[in-house]
Amino acid sequence: MPRTVFAGTGYYVPERVITNHDLTQWMDTSDEWIVERTGIRERRWVPEGMTGAEMARRASLMALEEAGMEPGDIDAIVLGTLSPDVFFPGTGVYLQKELGIPGVPALDVRAQCSGFVYGLSVADAWIRAGQYRTILLVGVEIQSTGLDISTRGRDLAVLFGDGAGAAVLVAGDDDARGVLSTHIHADGRYAEMLWGECGSSRKHPRITCEDIEAGRHYPKMEGREVFKHAVTRMPEAVLEALDANGLTTADIDVLVPHQANLRISQMVQRRLGLRDDQVVNNIQRYGNTTAATIPIALAEAVREGRIQRGHLVALAAFGSGFTWGSAIIRW
Ligand code: COA
């Protein structure tokens, strides 16, 4: 059975930097509050006209270049996002159009911050089953256009940023290398702990002027509940993955956790007994880019030489749904 190998990684973040200080123009917040609670110092926001498909295209081309491949080599696209460019169709088909590869299937994954790990689980199953040999896996998010940039929305507005990350996954025959396993979970009882209610099909009409006046078109979050579940579920999922492969935390070289909050990542690190240099954190510079955090962090870590051939890499995700999951990869 073939193994899923990461042949290339890539990322793209918009050039427009929004510092914590910039946010104080629009809301009652401070650099100290944001840094102390989240570790975030700045994030990137898209300029007018930049789409998720365009950011995904740039990240994908970087990943393809690293893999020594062309768009025409891709057999399938799997794309995670909670912020599609339009309500439907998904961003995957727009990316496919931008890459100029008509006919190639494009699947959008709706698993929020766990989108990349969920997508990896699907792509890995396709590769193992022999259905596709080269899959482009992308996480892309534009959060900035949907945030309540006022004191009312400050709990969420300071956390999120925009960006895209991509990986080219190929079928490999070397048993010593590739994705060892993926583990994904969800618990819909917590769906409304972090959610976007409007405009949605269960409302008729989908959005009203009253909804907009009340700010119901903005995302809502029970921050403390999310925090509590994230610091439990991510280490649990990593331990589950290690156990499934007869490994322990001592075998991990590098952990790439979802970048939700630096405090969350530090607690996950402590629970797994890892050193600072084993955990990839870039939330200080990008905030939480939802489905894009893990592939952006992976691509940066590869370029910095922190992830090298032969390393045992663990991914851990947690997000709205709640959804969560992990993956273990022999790089
Ligand atoms: N700036 C300044 N003050 C803020 C603020 C901001 N951006 N956001 C909230 N506050 C205020 C609150 O209004 C509250 O004030 P009050 O005590 O006068 O009512 C106070 O700060 C404490 O708020 P609270 O929500 O209890 O803070 P917290 O310690 O839970 O930290 C989060 C808030 C959002 C940083 C934290 O809950 C968190 O990180 N949760 C997880 C979020 C996450 O990761 N989401 C994505 C998951 S994929």
Side-chain angles (χ1 to χ4, degrees), residues 27-30 33-34 37-38 113 154-156 158-160 194 221-227 230 258 260-261 264 288 318-320:
M27 64 190 79
D28 180 13
T29 191
S30 67
W33 193 96
I34 301 170
R37 309 274 176 132
T38 72
C113 297
R154 65 183 177 176
D155 59 332
L156 272 154
V158 302
L159 298 178
F160 291 100
L194 176 50
M221 175 178 74
E222 299 289 335
R224 292 201 168 197
E225 275 301 304
V226 174
F227 194 103
H258 167 54
N261 178 325
I264 292 177
N288 178 349
F318 179 85
S320 156

PDB file of all heavy atoms in Angstrom, residues 27-30 33-34 37-38 113 154-156 158-160 194 221-227 230 258 260-261 264 288 318-320, ligand 1:
ATOM      1  N   MET A  27     -10.944  49.839  18.490  1.00  0.00           N
ATOM      2  CA  MET A  27     -11.576  49.171  19.636  1.00  0.00           C
ATOM      3  C   MET A  27     -10.788  49.444  20.907  1.00  0.00           C
ATOM      4  O   MET A  27      -9.606  49.797  20.857  1.00  0.00           O
ATOM      5  CB  MET A  27     -11.662  47.666  19.387  1.00  0.00           C
ATOM      6  CG  MET A  27     -10.316  46.990  19.271  1.00  0.00           C
ATOM      7  SD  MET A  27     -10.421  45.287  18.700  1.00  0.00           S
ATOM      8  CE  MET A  27     -10.642  45.503  16.937  1.00  0.00           C
ATOM      9  N   ASP A  28     -11.479  49.233  22.028  1.00  0.00           N
ATOM     10  CA  ASP A  28     -10.846  49.424  23.328  1.00  0.00           C
ATOM     11  C   ASP A  28     -10.053  48.153  23.655  1.00  0.00           C
ATOM     12  O   ASP A  28     -10.614  47.161  24.143  1.00  0.00           O
ATOM     13  CB  ASP A  28     -11.950  49.688  24.366  1.00  0.00           C
ATOM     14  CG  ASP A  28     -11.366  49.898  25.747  1.00  0.00           C
ATOM     15  OD1 ASP A  28     -10.144  50.088  25.855  1.00  0.00           O
ATOM     16  OD2 ASP A  28     -12.151  49.860  26.711  1.00  0.00           O
ATOM     17  N   THR A  29      -8.782  48.163  23.316  1.00  0.00           N
ATOM     18  CA  THR A  29      -7.900  47.035  23.605  1.00  0.00           C
ATOM     19  C   THR A  29      -6.493  47.583  23.773  1.00  0.00           C
ATOM     20  O   THR A  29      -6.280  48.790  23.667  1.00  0.00           O
ATOM     21  CB  THR A  29      -7.963  45.962  22.492  1.00  0.00           C
ATOM     22  OG1 THR A  29      -7.281  44.789  22.942  1.00  0.00           O
ATOM     23  CG2 THR A  29      -7.349  46.430  21.172  1.00  0.00           C
ATOM     24  N   SER A  30      -5.545  46.712  24.052  1.00  0.00           N
ATOM     25  CA  SER A  30      -4.165  47.190  24.190  1.00  0.00           C
ATOM     26  C   SER A  30      -3.193  46.086  23.786  1.00  0.00           C
ATOM     27  O   SER A  30      -3.535  44.893  23.851  1.00  0.00           O
ATOM     28  CB  SER A  30      -3.885  47.601  25.641  1.00  0.00           C
ATOM     29  OG  SER A  30      -3.928  46.447  26.457  1.00  0.00           O
ATOM     30  N   TRP A  33      -2.710  43.654  26.723  1.00  0.00           N
ATOM     31  CA  TRP A  33      -3.783  42.678  26.921  1.00  0.00           C
ATOM     32  C   TRP A  33      -3.643  41.532  25.909  1.00  0.00           C
ATOM     33  O   TRP A  33      -3.678  40.358  26.260  1.00  0.00           O
ATOM     34  CB  TRP A  33      -5.165  43.340  26.770  1.00  0.00           C
ATOM     35  CG  TRP A  33      -6.302  42.469  27.277  1.00  0.00           C
ATOM     36  CD1 TRP A  33      -6.890  42.523  28.505  1.00  0.00           C
ATOM     37  CD2 TRP A  33      -6.971  41.409  26.567  1.00  0.00           C
ATOM     38  NE1 TRP A  33      -7.883  41.572  28.605  1.00  0.00           N
ATOM     39  CE2 TRP A  33      -7.955  40.869  27.424  1.00  0.00           C
ATOM     40  CE3 TRP A  33      -6.835  40.854  25.286  1.00  0.00           C
ATOM     41  CZ2 TRP A  33      -8.795  39.815  27.062  1.00  0.00           C
ATOM     42  CZ3 TRP A  33      -7.676  39.791  24.927  1.00  0.00           C
ATOM     43  CH2 TRP A  33      -8.632  39.288  25.806  1.00  0.00           C
ATOM     44  N   ILE A  34      -3.459  41.906  24.651  1.00  0.00           N
ATOM     45  CA  ILE A  34      -3.430  40.894  23.589  1.00  0.00           C
ATOM     46  C   ILE A  34      -2.204  39.987  23.748  1.00  0.00           C
ATOM     47  O   ILE A  34      -2.308  38.758  23.678  1.00  0.00           O
ATOM     48  CB  ILE A  34      -3.458  41.550  22.186  1.00  0.00           C
ATOM     49  CG1 ILE A  34      -4.723  42.401  22.032  1.00  0.00           C
ATOM     50  CG2 ILE A  34      -3.402  40.485  21.099  1.00  0.00           C
ATOM     51  CD1 ILE A  34      -4.741  43.284  20.777  1.00  0.00           C
ATOM     52  N   ARG A  37      -2.555  37.643  26.942  1.00  0.00           N
ATOM     53  CA  ARG A  37      -3.544  36.554  26.861  1.00  0.00           C
ATOM     54  C   ARG A  37      -3.337  35.613  25.687  1.00  0.00           C
ATOM     55  O   ARG A  37      -3.800  34.488  25.717  1.00  0.00           O
ATOM     56  CB  ARG A  37      -4.962  37.118  26.722  1.00  0.00           C
ATOM     57  CG  ARG A  37      -5.355  38.152  27.708  1.00  0.00           C
ATOM     58  CD  ARG A  37      -5.890  37.531  28.952  1.00  0.00           C
ATOM     59  NE  ARG A  37      -6.172  38.574  29.926  1.00  0.00           N
ATOM     60  CZ  ARG A  37      -7.292  38.669  30.614  1.00  0.00           C
ATOM     61  NH1 ARG A  37      -8.230  37.781  30.449  1.00  0.00           N
ATOM     62  NH2 ARG A  37      -7.446  39.627  31.488  1.00  0.00           N
ATOM     63  N   THR A  38      -2.689  36.123  24.589  1.00  0.00           N
ATOM     64  CA  THR A  38      -2.667  35.301  23.365  1.00  0.00           C
ATOM     65  C   THR A  38      -1.282  35.126  22.742  1.00  0.00           C
ATOM     66  O   THR A  38      -1.104  34.246  21.907  1.00  0.00           O
ATOM     67  CB  THR A  38      -3.550  35.945  22.265  1.00  0.00           C
ATOM     68  OG1 THR A  38      -2.891  37.127  21.758  1.00  0.00           O
ATOM     69  CG2 THR A  38      -4.920  36.330  22.794  1.00  0.00           C
ATOM     70  N   CYS A 113     -10.854  25.158  12.032  1.00  0.00           N
ATOM     71  CA  CYS A 113      -9.411  25.146  12.319  1.00  0.00           C
ATOM     72  C   CYS A 113      -8.801  23.748  12.165  1.00  0.00           C
ATOM     73  O   CYS A 113      -7.585  23.604  12.139  1.00  0.00           O
ATOM     74  CB  CYS A 113      -9.139  25.676  13.716  1.00  0.00           C
ATOM     75  SG  CYS A 113      -9.634  27.389  13.892  1.00  0.00           S
ATOM     76  N   ARG A 154     -14.231  42.703  20.146  1.00  0.00           N
ATOM     77  CA  ARG A 154     -12.770  42.664  20.372  1.00  0.00           C
ATOM     78  C   ARG A 154     -12.238  41.303  20.815  1.00  0.00           C
ATOM     79  O   ARG A 154     -11.082  40.979  20.556  1.00  0.00           O
ATOM     80  CB  ARG A 154     -12.374  43.726  21.400  1.00  0.00           C
ATOM     81  CG  ARG A 154     -12.954  43.478  22.786  1.00  0.00           C
ATOM     82  CD  ARG A 154     -12.600  44.577  23.748  1.00  0.00           C
ATOM     83  NE  ARG A 154     -13.222  44.351  25.041  1.00  0.00           N
ATOM     84  CZ  ARG A 154     -13.036  45.091  26.110  1.00  0.00           C
ATOM     85  NH1 ARG A 154     -12.226  46.117  26.048  1.00  0.00           N
ATOM     86  NH2 ARG A 154     -13.633  44.804  27.232  1.00  0.00           N
ATOM     87  N   ASP A 155     -13.069  40.486  21.484  1.00  0.00           N
ATOM     88  CA  ASP A 155     -12.555  39.186  21.946  1.00  0.00           C
ATOM     89  C   ASP A 155     -12.095  38.333  20.766  1.00  0.00           C
ATOM     90  O   ASP A 155     -11.071  37.658  20.832  1.00  0.00           O
ATOM     91  CB  ASP A 155     -13.595  38.439  22.809  1.00  0.00           C
ATOM     92  CG  ASP A 155     -14.894  38.167  22.073  1.00  0.00           C
ATOM     93  OD1 ASP A 155     -15.248  38.935  21.157  1.00  0.00           O
ATOM     94  OD2 ASP A 155     -15.560  37.167  22.415  1.00  0.00           O
ATOM     95  N   LEU A 156     -12.855  38.400  19.642  1.00  0.00           N
ATOM     96  CA  LEU A 156     -12.497  37.613  18.455  1.00  0.00           C
ATOM     97  C   LEU A 156     -11.609  38.386  17.481  1.00  0.00           C
ATOM     98  O   LEU A 156     -10.714  37.812  16.864  1.00  0.00           O
ATOM     99  CB  LEU A 156     -13.770  37.199  17.721  1.00  0.00           C
ATOM    100  CG  LEU A 156     -14.388  35.888  18.189  1.00  0.00           C
ATOM    101  CD1 LEU A 156     -15.875  35.874  17.918  1.00  0.00           C
ATOM    102  CD2 LEU A 156     -13.737  34.738  17.454  1.00  0.00           C
ATOM    103  N   VAL A 158      -9.212  40.406  17.737  1.00  0.00           N
ATOM    104  CA  VAL A 158      -7.764  40.488  17.954  1.00  0.00           C
ATOM    105  C   VAL A 158      -7.064  39.158  17.639  1.00  0.00           C
ATOM    106  O   VAL A 158      -5.843  39.120  17.519  1.00  0.00           O
ATOM    107  CB  VAL A 158      -7.418  40.927  19.400  1.00  0.00           C
ATOM    108  CG1 VAL A 158      -8.061  42.290  19.710  1.00  0.00           C
ATOM    109  CG2 VAL A 158      -7.834  39.896  20.446  1.00  0.00           C
ATOM    110  N   LEU A 159      -7.846  38.088  17.541  1.00  0.00           N
ATOM    111  CA  LEU A 159      -7.235  36.757  17.417  1.00  0.00           C
ATOM    112  C   LEU A 159      -6.900  36.356  15.987  1.00  0.00           C
ATOM    113  O   LEU A 159      -5.934  35.638  15.754  1.00  0.00           O
ATOM    114  CB  LEU A 159      -8.181  35.679  17.973  1.00  0.00           C
ATOM    115  CG  LEU A 159      -8.570  35.733  19.445  1.00  0.00           C
ATOM    116  CD1 LEU A 159      -9.536  34.600  19.765  1.00  0.00           C
ATOM    117  CD2 LEU A 159      -7.334  35.633  20.329  1.00  0.00           C
ATOM    118  N   PHE A 160      -7.754  36.793  15.024  1.00  0.00           N
ATOM    119  CA  PHE A 160      -7.697  36.159  13.709  1.00  0.00           C
ATOM    120  C   PHE A 160      -6.942  36.952  12.641  1.00  0.00           C
ATOM    121  O   PHE A 160      -6.900  38.183  12.688  1.00  0.00           O
ATOM    122  CB  PHE A 160      -9.112  35.850  13.219  1.00  0.00           C
ATOM    123  CG  PHE A 160      -9.773  34.760  14.023  1.00  0.00           C
ATOM    124  CD1 PHE A 160     -10.679  35.062  15.018  1.00  0.00           C
ATOM    125  CD2 PHE A 160      -9.453  33.433  13.793  1.00  0.00           C
ATOM    126  CE1 PHE A 160     -11.272  34.055  15.771  1.00  0.00           C
ATOM    127  CE2 PHE A 160     -10.036  32.418  14.543  1.00  0.00           C
ATOM    128  CZ  PHE A 160     -10.949  32.725  15.538  1.00  0.00           C
ATOM    129  N   LEU A 194     -18.421  28.387  19.189  1.00  0.00           N
ATOM    130  CA  LEU A 194     -17.605  29.198  18.272  1.00  0.00           C
ATOM    131  C   LEU A 194     -18.243  29.029  16.907  1.00  0.00           C
ATOM    132  O   LEU A 194     -18.124  27.964  16.295  1.00  0.00           O
ATOM    133  CB  LEU A 194     -16.151  28.687  18.279  1.00  0.00           C
ATOM    134  CG  LEU A 194     -15.164  29.349  17.306  1.00  0.00           C
ATOM    135  CD1 LEU A 194     -15.189  30.856  17.390  1.00  0.00           C
ATOM    136  CD2 LEU A 194     -13.753  28.846  17.542  1.00  0.00           C
ATOM    137  N   MET A 221     -18.038  33.628  20.101  1.00  0.00           N
ATOM    138  CA  MET A 221     -17.211  32.606  20.764  1.00  0.00           C
ATOM    139  C   MET A 221     -17.352  32.680  22.277  1.00  0.00           C
ATOM    140  O   MET A 221     -17.400  33.762  22.847  1.00  0.00           O
ATOM    141  CB  MET A 221     -15.747  32.848  20.372  1.00  0.00           C
ATOM    142  CG  MET A 221     -14.753  31.949  21.058  1.00  0.00           C
ATOM    143  SD  MET A 221     -13.069  32.266  20.503  1.00  0.00           S
ATOM    144  CE  MET A 221     -12.716  33.812  21.330  1.00  0.00           C
ATOM    145  N   GLU A 222     -17.410  31.512  22.898  1.00  0.00           N
ATOM    146  CA  GLU A 222     -17.266  31.411  24.352  1.00  0.00           C
ATOM    147  C   GLU A 222     -15.795  31.097  24.597  1.00  0.00           C
ATOM    148  O   GLU A 222     -15.393  29.923  24.636  1.00  0.00           O
ATOM    149  CB  GLU A 222     -18.136  30.266  24.909  1.00  0.00           C
ATOM    150  CG  GLU A 222     -19.620  30.412  24.681  1.00  0.00           C
ATOM    151  CD  GLU A 222     -20.242  31.508  25.529  1.00  0.00           C
ATOM    152  OE1 GLU A 222     -19.678  31.839  26.594  1.00  0.00           O
ATOM    153  OE2 GLU A 222     -21.270  32.056  25.099  1.00  0.00           O
ATOM    154  N   GLY A 223     -14.978  32.139  24.727  1.00  0.00           N
ATOM    155  CA  GLY A 223     -13.522  31.981  24.726  1.00  0.00           C
ATOM    156  C   GLY A 223     -12.985  31.002  25.760  1.00  0.00           C
ATOM    157  O   GLY A 223     -12.128  30.177  25.464  1.00  0.00           O
ATOM    158  N   ARG A 224     -13.521  31.082  26.973  1.00  0.00           N
ATOM    159  CA  ARG A 224     -12.978  30.217  28.041  1.00  0.00           C
ATOM    160  C   ARG A 224     -13.269  28.745  27.787  1.00  0.00           C
ATOM    161  O   ARG A 224     -12.420  27.883  28.051  1.00  0.00           O
ATOM    162  CB  ARG A 224     -13.552  30.638  29.388  1.00  0.00           C
ATOM    163  CG  ARG A 224     -13.010  31.991  29.754  1.00  0.00           C
ATOM    164  CD  ARG A 224     -13.069  32.300  31.188  1.00  0.00           C
ATOM    165  NE  ARG A 224     -12.256  33.496  31.359  1.00  0.00           N
ATOM    166  CZ  ARG A 224     -11.784  33.918  32.498  1.00  0.00           C
ATOM    167  NH1 ARG A 224     -12.038  33.246  33.589  1.00  0.00           N
ATOM    168  NH2 ARG A 224     -11.042  34.995  32.560  1.00  0.00           N
ATOM    169  N   GLU A 225     -14.487  28.450  27.293  1.00  0.00           N
ATOM    170  CA  GLU A 225     -14.851  27.055  26.980  1.00  0.00           C
ATOM    171  C   GLU A 225     -13.956  26.526  25.861  1.00  0.00           C
ATOM    172  O   GLU A 225     -13.461  25.399  25.918  1.00  0.00           O
ATOM    173  CB  GLU A 225     -16.318  26.970  26.521  1.00  0.00           C
ATOM    174  CG  GLU A 225     -17.313  26.865  27.634  1.00  0.00           C
ATOM    175  CD  GLU A 225     -17.103  25.639  28.533  1.00  0.00           C
ATOM    176  OE1 GLU A 225     -17.090  24.510  28.013  1.00  0.00           O
ATOM    177  OE2 GLU A 225     -16.931  25.817  29.748  1.00  0.00           O
ATOM    178  N   VAL A 226     -13.751  27.368  24.834  1.00  0.00           N
ATOM    179  CA  VAL A 226     -12.910  26.955  23.702  1.00  0.00           C
ATOM    180  C   VAL A 226     -11.502  26.644  24.216  1.00  0.00           C
ATOM    181  O   VAL A 226     -10.911  25.605  23.884  1.00  0.00           O
ATOM    182  CB  VAL A 226     -12.876  28.046  22.608  1.00  0.00           C
ATOM    183  CG1 VAL A 226     -11.896  27.681  21.505  1.00  0.00           C
ATOM    184  CG2 VAL A 226     -14.262  28.279  22.029  1.00  0.00           C
ATOM    185  N   PHE A 227     -10.985  27.522  25.047  1.00  0.00           N
ATOM    186  CA  PHE A 227      -9.639  27.364  25.601  1.00  0.00           C
ATOM    187  C   PHE A 227      -9.521  26.018  26.336  1.00  0.00           C
ATOM    188  O   PHE A 227      -8.601  25.231  26.093  1.00  0.00           O
ATOM    189  CB  PHE A 227      -9.366  28.522  26.573  1.00  0.00           C
ATOM    190  CG  PHE A 227      -7.920  28.679  26.950  1.00  0.00           C
ATOM    191  CD1 PHE A 227      -7.154  29.682  26.378  1.00  0.00           C
ATOM    192  CD2 PHE A 227      -7.312  27.833  27.869  1.00  0.00           C
ATOM    193  CE1 PHE A 227      -5.811  29.837  26.723  1.00  0.00           C
ATOM    194  CE2 PHE A 227      -5.985  27.975  28.212  1.00  0.00           C
ATOM    195  CZ  PHE A 227      -5.229  28.982  27.639  1.00  0.00           C
ATOM    196  N   ALA A 230      -9.627  23.056  23.958  1.00  0.00           N
ATOM    197  CA  ALA A 230      -8.445  23.000  23.079  1.00  0.00           C
ATOM    198  C   ALA A 230      -7.252  22.398  23.814  1.00  0.00           C
ATOM    199  O   ALA A 230      -6.533  21.552  23.262  1.00  0.00           O
ATOM    200  CB  ALA A 230      -8.112  24.393  22.562  1.00  0.00           C
ATOM    201  N   HIS A 258      -2.052  23.605  15.981  1.00  0.00           N
ATOM    202  CA  HIS A 258      -2.881  24.691  15.453  1.00  0.00           C
ATOM    203  C   HIS A 258      -2.576  25.955  16.252  1.00  0.00           C
ATOM    204  O   HIS A 258      -2.473  25.907  17.480  1.00  0.00           O
ATOM    205  CB  HIS A 258      -4.364  24.328  15.578  1.00  0.00           C
ATOM    206  CG  HIS A 258      -5.272  25.482  15.345  1.00  0.00           C
ATOM    207  ND1 HIS A 258      -5.196  26.258  14.199  1.00  0.00           N
ATOM    208  CD2 HIS A 258      -6.258  26.031  16.107  1.00  0.00           C
ATOM    209  CE1 HIS A 258      -6.095  27.215  14.287  1.00  0.00           C
ATOM    210  NE2 HIS A 258      -6.760  27.109  15.424  1.00  0.00           N
ATOM    211  N   ALA A 260      -3.871  28.751  17.761  1.00  0.00           N
ATOM    212  CA  ALA A 260      -5.093  29.416  18.232  1.00  0.00           C
ATOM    213  C   ALA A 260      -4.747  30.520  19.210  1.00  0.00           C
ATOM    214  O   ALA A 260      -5.377  31.577  19.229  1.00  0.00           O
ATOM    215  CB  ALA A 260      -6.015  28.408  18.895  1.00  0.00           C
ATOM    216  N   ASN A 261      -3.747  30.236  20.037  1.00  0.00           N
ATOM    217  CA  ASN A 261      -3.373  31.130  21.121  1.00  0.00           C
ATOM    218  C   ASN A 261      -2.057  30.567  21.648  1.00  0.00           C
ATOM    219  O   ASN A 261      -1.952  29.360  21.895  1.00  0.00           O
ATOM    220  CB  ASN A 261      -4.493  31.061  22.186  1.00  0.00           C
ATOM    221  CG  ASN A 261      -4.200  31.917  23.396  1.00  0.00           C
ATOM    222  OD1 ASN A 261      -3.051  32.053  23.822  1.00  0.00           O
ATOM    223  ND2 ASN A 261      -5.242  32.472  23.972  1.00  0.00           N
ATOM    224  N   ILE A 264      -2.371  28.434  24.645  1.00  0.00           N
ATOM    225  CA  ILE A 264      -2.890  27.082  24.385  1.00  0.00           C
ATOM    226  C   ILE A 264      -1.734  26.183  23.930  1.00  0.00           C
ATOM    227  O   ILE A 264      -1.542  25.087  24.447  1.00  0.00           O
ATOM    228  CB  ILE A 264      -4.024  27.113  23.321  1.00  0.00           C
ATOM    229  CG1 ILE A 264      -5.265  27.812  23.897  1.00  0.00           C
ATOM    230  CG2 ILE A 264      -4.357  25.703  22.834  1.00  0.00           C
ATOM    231  CD1 ILE A 264      -6.430  27.972  22.909  1.00  0.00           C
ATOM    232  N   ASN A 288      -4.383  33.800  14.440  1.00  0.00           N
ATOM    233  CA  ASN A 288      -4.993  32.510  14.101  1.00  0.00           C
ATOM    234  C   ASN A 288      -5.560  32.607  12.684  1.00  0.00           C
ATOM    235  O   ASN A 288      -6.534  33.315  12.447  1.00  0.00           O
ATOM    236  CB  ASN A 288      -6.104  32.217  15.122  1.00  0.00           C
ATOM    237  CG  ASN A 288      -6.840  30.910  14.848  1.00  0.00           C
ATOM    238  OD1 ASN A 288      -6.671  30.306  13.801  1.00  0.00           O
ATOM    239  ND2 ASN A 288      -7.659  30.492  15.791  1.00  0.00           N
ATOM    240  N   PHE A 318      -7.421  21.876  16.530  1.00  0.00           N
ATOM    241  CA  PHE A 318      -8.659  21.999  17.294  1.00  0.00           C
ATOM    242  C   PHE A 318      -9.424  23.203  16.765  1.00  0.00           C
ATOM    243  O   PHE A 318      -8.827  24.254  16.504  1.00  0.00           O
ATOM    244  CB  PHE A 318      -8.380  22.219  18.790  1.00  0.00           C
ATOM    245  CG  PHE A 318      -9.652  22.363  19.583  1.00  0.00           C
ATOM    246  CD1 PHE A 318     -10.323  21.232  20.038  1.00  0.00           C
ATOM    247  CD2 PHE A 318     -10.218  23.608  19.818  1.00  0.00           C
ATOM    248  CE1 PHE A 318     -11.525  21.355  20.721  1.00  0.00           C
ATOM    249  CE2 PHE A 318     -11.418  23.736  20.497  1.00  0.00           C
ATOM    250  CZ  PHE A 318     -12.076  22.609  20.958  1.00  0.00           C
ATOM    251  N   GLY A 319     -10.741  23.065  16.623  1.00  0.00           N
ATOM    252  CA  GLY A 319     -11.485  24.219  16.130  1.00  0.00           C
ATOM    253  C   GLY A 319     -12.969  24.122  16.317  1.00  0.00           C
ATOM    254  O   GLY A 319     -13.493  23.183  16.941  1.00  0.00           O
ATOM    255  N   SER A 320     -13.637  25.119  15.767  1.00  0.00           N
ATOM    256  CA  SER A 320     -15.094  25.210  15.837  1.00  0.00           C
ATOM    257  C   SER A 320     -15.715  23.908  15.376  1.00  0.00           C
ATOM    258  O   SER A 320     -15.259  23.270  14.427  1.00  0.00           O
ATOM    259  CB  SER A 320     -15.526  26.384  14.952  1.00  0.00           C
ATOM    260  OG  SER A 320     -16.848  26.217  14.540  1.00  0.00           O
TER     261      SER A 320
HETATM  262  N1  COA B   1      -8.910  43.650  24.700  1.00  0.00           N
HETATM  263  C1  COA B   1      -9.112  44.052  25.962  1.00  0.00           C
HETATM  264  N2  COA B   1     -10.002  43.473  26.772  1.00  0.00           N
HETATM  265  C2  COA B   1     -10.695  42.420  26.295  1.00  0.00           C
HETATM  266  C3  COA B   1     -10.521  41.950  24.982  1.00  0.00           C
HETATM  267  C4  COA B   1      -9.594  42.613  24.174  1.00  0.00           C
HETATM  268  N3  COA B   1      -9.340  42.245  22.912  1.00  0.00           N
HETATM  269  N4  COA B   1     -11.346  40.909  24.782  1.00  0.00           N
HETATM  270  C5  COA B   1     -12.007  40.720  25.921  1.00  0.00           C
HETATM  271  N5  COA B   1     -11.627  41.639  26.834  1.00  0.00           N
HETATM  272  C6  COA B   1     -12.077  41.811  28.218  1.00  0.00           C
HETATM  273  C7  COA B   1     -13.437  41.188  28.453  1.00  0.00           C
HETATM  274  O1  COA B   1     -14.469  42.072  28.066  1.00  0.00           O
HETATM  275  C8  COA B   1     -13.395  40.967  29.941  1.00  0.00           C
HETATM  276  O2  COA B   1     -13.684  42.168  30.602  1.00  0.00           O
HETATM  277  P1  COA B   1     -14.570  42.189  31.944  1.00  0.00           P
HETATM  278  O3  COA B   1     -13.773  41.362  32.917  1.00  0.00           O
HETATM  279  O4  COA B   1     -14.631  43.629  32.257  1.00  0.00           O
HETATM  280  O5  COA B   1     -15.869  41.549  31.558  1.00  0.00           O
HETATM  281  C9  COA B   1     -11.931  40.641  30.229  1.00  0.00           C
HETATM  282  O6  COA B   1     -11.207  41.119  29.090  1.00  0.00           O
HETATM  283  C10 COA B   1     -11.674  39.172  30.409  1.00  0.00           C
HETATM  284  O7  COA B   1     -12.342  38.486  29.362  1.00  0.00           O
HETATM  285  P2  COA B   1     -12.301  36.927  29.230  1.00  0.00           P
HETATM  286  O8  COA B   1     -13.073  36.545  28.006  1.00  0.00           O
HETATM  287  O9  COA B   1     -12.693  36.290  30.514  1.00  0.00           O
HETATM  288  O10 COA B   1     -10.763  36.727  28.994  1.00  0.00           O
HETATM  289  P3  COA B   1      -9.969  35.402  28.864  1.00  0.00           P
HETATM  290  O11 COA B   1      -8.929  35.376  29.900  1.00  0.00           O
HETATM  291  O12 COA B   1     -10.837  34.197  28.724  1.00  0.00           O
HETATM  292  O13 COA B   1      -9.227  35.614  27.468  1.00  0.00           O
HETATM  293  C11 COA B   1      -9.383  34.883  25.188  1.00  0.00           C
HETATM  294  C12 COA B   1      -9.991  35.742  26.293  1.00  0.00           C
HETATM  295  C13 COA B   1     -10.256  35.049  23.951  1.00  0.00           C
HETATM  296  C14 COA B   1      -7.992  35.390  24.891  1.00  0.00           C
HETATM  297  C15 COA B   1      -9.318  33.429  25.669  1.00  0.00           C
HETATM  298  O14 COA B   1     -10.549  33.025  26.210  1.00  0.00           O
HETATM  299  C16 COA B   1      -8.964  32.483  24.561  1.00  0.00           C
HETATM  300  O15 COA B   1      -7.886  32.556  24.005  1.00  0.00           O
HETATM  301  N6  COA B   1      -9.824  31.505  24.245  1.00  0.00           N
HETATM  302  C17 COA B   1      -9.609  30.594  23.161  1.00  0.00           C
HETATM  303  C18 COA B   1      -9.876  31.303  21.872  1.00  0.00           C
HETATM  304  C19 COA B   1      -9.449  30.524  20.680  1.00  0.00           C
HETATM  305  O16 COA B   1      -8.382  30.002  20.652  1.00  0.00           O
HETATM  306  N7  COA B   1     -10.306  30.478  19.667  1.00  0.00           N
HETATM  307  C20 COA B   1     -10.032  29.831  18.441  1.00  0.00           C
HETATM  308  C21 COA B   1     -10.027  28.353  18.657  1.00  0.00           C
HETATM  309  S1  COA B   1      -9.694  27.510  17.210  1.00  0.00           S
END
